[in-house]
């Protein structure tokens, strides 16, 4: 999918980032997103090698589409700029941690 402006710049930044990145796709009107985002933040906060970006799908629909997000919450894990895992819907702490291995 072709992205424009800020989306393209953000994807370029992700490509250049070394280590793990979690993209937390959420929406403010989604109760499961709010509680799951807390878990994602905890897991990312415990890992000094991990960066977390929270992406509101209502504010950034093109970015969500570029990452093929069809369900929220969705977490996408990248390592050294490559997607290594994606979880649609909430999951356990262990599943999140396993994505980062």
């Amino acid at each position: 999918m072709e992205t424009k402006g800020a989306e393209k710049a953000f994807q370029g930044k992700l490509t250049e980032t070394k280590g793990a990145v979690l993209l937390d796709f959420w929406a403010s009107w989604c109760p499961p997103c709010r509680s799951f985002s807390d878990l994602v933040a905890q897991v990312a906060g415990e890992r000094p090698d991990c960066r977390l970006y929270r992406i509101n799908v209502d504010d950034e629909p093109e970015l969500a589409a570029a990452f093929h997000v069809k369900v929220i919450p969705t977490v996408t894990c990248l390592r050294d700029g490559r997607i290594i895992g994606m979880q649609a819907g909430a999951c356990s702490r262990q599943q999140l941690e396993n994505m980062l291995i």
Side-chain angles (χ1 to χ4, degrees):
M1 168 171 283
E2 185 66 29
T3 59
K4 299 177 186 173
E7 294 85 17
K8 193 167 192 153
F10 181 72
Q11 287 185 339
K13 182 177 180 179
L14 293 177
T15 302
E16 297 170 1
T17 301
K18 299 295 180 202
V21 174
L22 285 177
L23 304 179
D24 177 16
F25 293 93
W26 69 287
S28 61
W29 49 264
C30 171
C33 294
R34 291 192 301 265
S35 61
F36 186 58
S37 288
D38 291 341
L39 176 61
V40 174
Q42 287 174 359
V43 170
E46 294 169 359
R47 307 252 334 211
D49 65 326
C50 182
R51 295 196 62 171
L52 171 64
Y53 295 97
R54 296 190 68 224
I55 301 158
N56 185 322
V57 297
D58 291 330
D59 295 338
E60 302 289 343
E62 295 86 8
L63 188 56
F67 281 93
H68 307 287
V69 173
K70 302 202 184 312
V71 175
I72 54 172
T74 290
V75 173
T76 301
C77 182
L78 297 93
R79 182 166 301 283
D80 299 328
R82 293 183 6 177
I83 295 175
I84 61 169
M86 185 175 197
Q87 172 65 43
C91 65
S92 70
R93 170 184 273 281
Q94 188 62 51
Q95 289 170 304
L96 278 175
E97 290 172 349
N98 288 344
M99 282 178 44
L100 291 168
I101 293 174

